[in-house]
Amino acid sequence: METIIIRDKFDFEIGYLTKSPCLTCKSRSELPVCHSECGTLDKIQTLLARGISCQASSYES
């Protein structure tokens, strides 16, 4: 299944993580094997992928 990301939110609208959800996960003993099938991490990654950085990138040559 392919997820289409619509980049419609700025990073200040999404926020940031203050604590890894893995710290209190019931499957923590299975780390790092469990991360590829984790629904919580999938939701977080999808939400963060929707963000558009509000920082201006400046490149000096």
Side-chain angles (χ1 to χ4, degrees):
M1 181 173 86
E2 186 176 320
T3 303
I4 298 173
I5 304 297
I6 300 173
R7 296 176 58 105
D8 60 351
K9 291 187 181 255
F10 288 97
D11 57 2
F12 61 83
E13 293 177 294
I14 293 173
Y16 57 92
L17 294 178
T18 57
K19 180 177 85 170
S20 170
C22 300
L23 293 175
T24 56
C25 180
K26 63 181 179 182
S27 301
R28 184 173 182 205
S29 63
E30 299 173 29
L31 277 169
V33 178
C34 57
H35 81 277
S36 62
E37 297 177 5
C38 180
T40 301
L41 290 179
D42 185 50
K43 288 177 186 176
I44 291 170
Q45 289 171 343
T46 301
L47 180 65
L48 293 176
R50 292 178 60 200
I52 301 169
S53 177
C54 64
Q55 289 187 324
S57 60
S58 60
Y59 179 79
E60 295 183 26
S61 345

